[in-house]
């Protein structure tokens, strides 16, 4: 294998083929453990090419040596998709150095970027040009656009702008043979056969290495406002969504819901970031320190003035108050308050991480089925695992909930995960699927849900996916053991 490493060094340079000095080498090991600390691998090397041409050469060399390639962007994925296996035989291909914004076409509302650009930098480059790239995730300071496209990331503005797929106009990618496919178009309409771009989006590094992307931009809204709202029941929360869709129409960008327990976790572990919630909860608490069952963040933007957006949002909230859908609402009156409100939502995953391991889900169901999903899942879980705690929050407006299950008080989280993960998953996924839903609305399959996908997808779906993989990557070189059942 030294021959392979030497050849890789000749392509990308000595400094960009990292090999472990020892097992605790932090620069090396951060590429081998996932964000949640659940998966640990051991790669032969981390290779960091600087151009599409170098990626192509690296892939050709790996193909010749039959070394599996695990693409990696910001390494914020939550399903173990970018972690190498433990064999020491796989190459981690980090796109980190390919991080340039190549061009912004203001008239065409598009931009071209390299795959390793951080999402926050893509957003900033659009903003600098007076435009908006609306993909927005809590991990945007660390995740890359290549990773976002490979996982078809969602985030908080899907309601208005769609997922990463809807925001991508074209791609350049390196195939499993080391060829460069140029599909880097900036067109809204292009009916020329099979859509290879859409095949690569969401393929989690198993069909090709995304090296550049052409992205769809939007005019920057003139105004932006968020409100934090308290509801008593999930039915009221959904009725509020229906009302907000009608009254706010295209101004409604996000509708995020948080149950009381994840807010309590955030207050416990990240109190600084949960200031806005504290204020809201206190305002709501009257004599006692109680919290609403559901807190909702409504995000809006408009091409019109702040005053007119504020009037629109106030009208929606006063209709909701009159209809008895909400108990309390506050509209952010400054950028600081706006950021504080969003910090509350975005800090939940960090608070969960401090709290410990949980059985995590990112299910999706039609929004109309959310009350049925919650009622059935909560009942079935408390029957099977009395005292288990549910951490539920997420993109309610998209029918996508993080529905995480924590061990009962006094039971070790790791032990609960090891012993009961499969049974918990079966309960949660059976109910989601019976309601027309999905086992993953957002994070993808990776290693975590590969077997589950196999059990649920059916022979025909699995057969078609295998046929595509076989056609594009017959050697099974790209991200082996991921996604495909
Ligand atoms: P990585 O983690 O590096 O890789 C993810 C997968 O894509 C792997 O399978 C990898 O092999 C493959 N890959 C990476 N780059 C390429 C490439 N150039 N070509 C081909 N394959 C590639 N996700 C959401 O969808 N919505 C959210 O709201 C959200 N919030 C999050 C909040 C936090 C705090 C964290 C930690 C994660 C969150 N995520 C969310 C998950 C994660 O940020 C996304 O999946 C993101 O798109 C991953 O991007 P990345 O660059 O980190 O990819």
């Amino acid at each position: 294998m030294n021959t392979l490493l030497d050849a890789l060094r000749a392509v990308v340079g000595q400094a960009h083929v990292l090999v472990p000095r020892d097992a605790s080498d932090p620069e090396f090991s951060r590429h081998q453990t996932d964000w949640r600390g659940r998966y640990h691998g051991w790669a032969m090397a981390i290779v960091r090419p600087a151009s599409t041409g170098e990626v192509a050469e690296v892939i050709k060399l790996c193909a010749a040596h039959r070394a599996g390639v695990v693409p990696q962007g910001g390494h914020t994925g939550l399903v173990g998709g970018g972690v190498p296996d433990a064999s020491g035989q796989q190459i981690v291909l980090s796109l980190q150095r390919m991080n340039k914004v190549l061009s912004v076409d203001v008239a065409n509302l598009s931009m071209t970027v390299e795959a390793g650009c951080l999402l926050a930098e893509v957003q900033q480059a659009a903003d600098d040009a007076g435009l908006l790239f609306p993909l927005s995730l809590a991990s945007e300071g660390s995740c890359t656009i290549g990773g976002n496209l490979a996982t078809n990331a969602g985030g908080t503005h899907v309601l208005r702008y769609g997922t990463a797929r809807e925001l991508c106009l074209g791609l350049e990618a390196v195939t499993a043979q080391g060829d460069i496919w140029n599909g880097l178009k900036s067109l809204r309409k292009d009916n020329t056969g099979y859509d290879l771009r859409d095949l690569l989006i969401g393929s989690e590094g198993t069909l090709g290495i995304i090296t550049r992307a052409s992205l769809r931009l939007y005019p920057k809204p003139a105004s932006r406002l968020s409100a934090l709202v308290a509801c008593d029941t999930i039915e009221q929360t959904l009725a509020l969504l229906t009302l907000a869709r009608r009254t706010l129409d295209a101004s409604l960008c996000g509708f995020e819901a948080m149950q009381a327990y994840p807010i309590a976790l955030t207050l416990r572990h990240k109190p600084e970031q949960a200031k806005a919630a504290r204020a809201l909860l206190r305002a709501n608490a009257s004599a006692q320190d109680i919290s609403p069952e559901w807190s909702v963040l409504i995000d809006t933007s408009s091409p019109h003035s702040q005053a007119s957006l504020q009037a629109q949002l106030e009208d929606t909230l006063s209709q909701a108050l009159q209809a008895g859908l909400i108990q309390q609402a506050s509209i952010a009156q400054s950028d600081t308050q706006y950021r504080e409100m969003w910090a509350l939502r975005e800090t939940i995953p960090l608070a969960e991480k401090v709290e410990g391991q949980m059985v995590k889900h990112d299910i999706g169901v039609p929004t109309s089925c959310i009350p049925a999903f919650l009622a059935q899942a909560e009942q079935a879980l408390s029957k099977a695992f009395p005292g288990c705690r549910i951490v539920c929050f997420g993109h309610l407006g998209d029918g996508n909930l993080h529905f995480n299950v924590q061990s009962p008080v006094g039971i070790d989280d790791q032990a609960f995960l090891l012993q009961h993960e499969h049974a918990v998953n079966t309960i949660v996924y059976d109910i989601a699927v019976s309601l027309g839903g999905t086992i993953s609305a957002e994070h993808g399959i990776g290693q975590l849900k590969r077997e589950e996908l196999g059990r649920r997808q059916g022979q025909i779906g699995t057969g078609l996916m295998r046929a595509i993989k076989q056609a594009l990557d017959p050697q099974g070189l790209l991200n082996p053991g991921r996604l495909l059942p």
Side-chain angles (χ1 to χ4, degrees), residues 178-220:
D179 297 324
I180 299 170
W181 171 65
N182 185 352
L184 206 55
K185 293 176 181 167
S186 298
L187 305 172
R188 264 73 181 172
K189 299 175 88 172
D190 179 18
N191 282 344
T192 49
Y194 299 149
D195 198 327
L196 301 175
R197 173 197 64 191
D198 272 359
L199 195 55
L200 284 163
I201 295 173
S203 67
E204 301 184 27
T206 60
L207 298 180
I209 312 292
I210 296 169
T211 45
R212 295 186 201 194
S214 163
L215 303 173
R216 181 192 293 260
L217 301 179
Y218 284 84
K220 189 153 59 177

Side-chain angles (χ1 to χ4, degrees), residues 35 70-78 81-82 95 115 136-139 142-144 146-148 150-155 204-205 208-210 349-350 395 442-443 479:
W35 190 83
V70 181
Q72 221 176 68
H75 206 26
T76 64
L78 298 175
L95 279 293
S136 173
L137 326 180
S139 53
S142 318
C143 64
T144 62
N148 300 149
T151 57
N152 187 24
E204 301 184 27
I209 312 292
I210 296 169
L350 306 176
H395 317 294
E442 197 164 65
H443 299 154
N479 226 356

